[in-house]
Amino acid sequence: MPGERLTAEHRRRIAEGLAAGLTYAEIARRLGRSRSTVSREIARNGGPHGYRAARAQHATSWRARRRRRAPYAAVPDPAVPDTAVLDAAVLDAARDRDAATVREFEERFVAMMTETGMAPMTARVFAALFISESGSLTAVELVQRLQVSPATISHAVRWLEQRELVAREREGRHMRYLVDTEVWYRAWAASTRSMARWADTARQGAQILGTGTPAGDRLHTTSQFFELLGHDMAQAAEHWRQALSTRRRQA
């Protein structure tokens, strides 16, 4: 079985395993496949909470048909009708246009993240992961794609991991980095925890300095601000999770 493509039956068993709360490692063991194979399958098809066997099978079949689409001849051939050559030119132009559009969007995506506070290289790493078809790339693939050193990739990924924007897993001798549909919920939850720490520390400072002093009053106001912000953020995150769960049940 190792090395073979996943079948519709495999995908059904993956969906059942996720519904039963099994870990990726346990699902992989039951299928006789590697954990990385299972995690990539889940990541590229909706993540652990959005994975649907039928939808994953359909998406995989569509990708396979797209890959099998043979390129037309680039030069006129007497045996090839002129309409086929014309179709080839149209398809080639469309592919080039699509690739250019994707690159343009990637640059806009990176620029937006940079302008909102993320370091340029960190933004490039995150964008590369986020818009990749599977939502995952190895460290080697990132180095080749971005033309930077492994140390640069490692530094960027470390920053992203600290904020729970990416996860990592070992794949043979290489490390694979992943993003999924839960990325924003995890990042938001991490920010909420940060707000709670700000509130607690500022509250302690206000008690030490005394709220009747200017410094103590500033710390007390700061504590109230972050406490309210953290509360609202937690409510917003839970609202999103419920809305997403409802949408997935209806899909």
Side-chain angles (χ1 to χ4, degrees), residues 203-225:
R203 187 182 306 110
Q204 293 168 15
Q207 291 171 353
I208 291 171
L209 297 176
T211 55
T213 65
D217 182 63
R218 281 196 300 273
L219 285 165
H220 177 66
T221 302
T222 298
S223 174
Q224 290 182 317
F225 170 78

Side-chain angles (χ1 to χ4, degrees), residues 11-244:
R11 294 186 168 91
R12 183 187 66 79
R13 291 171 62 187
I14 289 174
E16 290 178 348
L18 290 172
L22 301 181
T23 64
Y24 288 7
E26 177 60 21
I27 294 172
R29 187 188 67 77
R30 295 187 180 191
L31 291 179
R33 310 303 293 265
S34 69
R35 183 183 183 281
S36 60
T37 295
V38 171
S39 64
R40 283 198 303 273
E41 166 68 17
I42 295 170
R44 69 164 62 99
N45 291 295
H49 301 289
Y51 187 86
R52 299 291 184 274
R55 191 163 56 195
Q57 182 67 22
H58 176 76
T60 301
S61 298
W62 178 83
R63 287 192 292 264
R65 288 195 300 272
R66 189 178 62 179
R67 285 194 296 268
R68 286 197 300 268
R69 193 178 295 148
Y72 289 95
V75 295
D77 187 323
V80 179
D82 289 344
T83 54
V85 175
L86 179 59
D87 289 344
V90 171
L91 287 172
D92 287 342
R95 280 193 291 268
D96 291 342
R97 184 172 61 251
D98 289 345
T101 301
V102 171
R103 285 195 299 271
E104 181 183 349
F105 169 74
E106 185 172 359
E107 291 301 319
R108 290 204 311 271
F109 195 22
V110 169
M112 179 274 296
M113 288 186 285
T114 302
E115 290 167 3
T116 53
M118 190 179 291
M121 184 48 63
T122 304
R124 288 195 173 279
V125 169
F126 186 72
L129 289 168
F130 204 81
I131 68 175
S132 65
E133 186 172 3
S134 66
S136 71
L137 293 168
T138 65
V140 172
E141 289 169 338
L142 284 167
V143 166
Q144 294 173 343
R145 178 177 179 133
L146 301 178
Q147 294 295 295
V148 295
S149 69
T152 299
I153 297 297
S154 179
H155 179 76
V157 168
R158 191 179 306 114
W159 189 94
L160 293 166
E161 282 185 308
Q162 289 172 350
R163 289 151 183 82
E164 301 190 32
L165 289 169
V166 302
R168 72 166 68 197
E169 67 175 25
R170 175 69 61 179
E171 187 176 272
R173 294 185 296 112
H174 302 296
M175 191 64 69
R176 178 170 288 276
Y177 304 110
L178 311 97
V179 295
D180 58 31
T181 54
E182 294 290 303
V183 60
W184 302 120
Y185 181 85
R186 290 195 304 271
W188 194 261
S191 295
T192 302
R193 292 193 295 272
S194 177
M195 297 301 101
R197 291 184 63 186
W198 268 94
D200 288 343
T201 302
R203 187 182 306 110
Q204 293 168 15
Q207 291 171 353
I208 291 171
L209 297 176
T211 55
T213 65
D217 182 63
R218 281 196 300 273
L219 285 165
H220 177 66
T221 302
T222 298
S223 174
Q224 290 182 317
F225 170 78
F226 282 112
E227 184 175 359
L228 179 62
L229 182 62
H231 177 266
D232 289 348
M233 289 175 66
Q235 284 191 323
E238 185 56 32
H239 178 70
W240 163 247
R241 171 162 280 189
Q242 291 175 4
L244 185 61

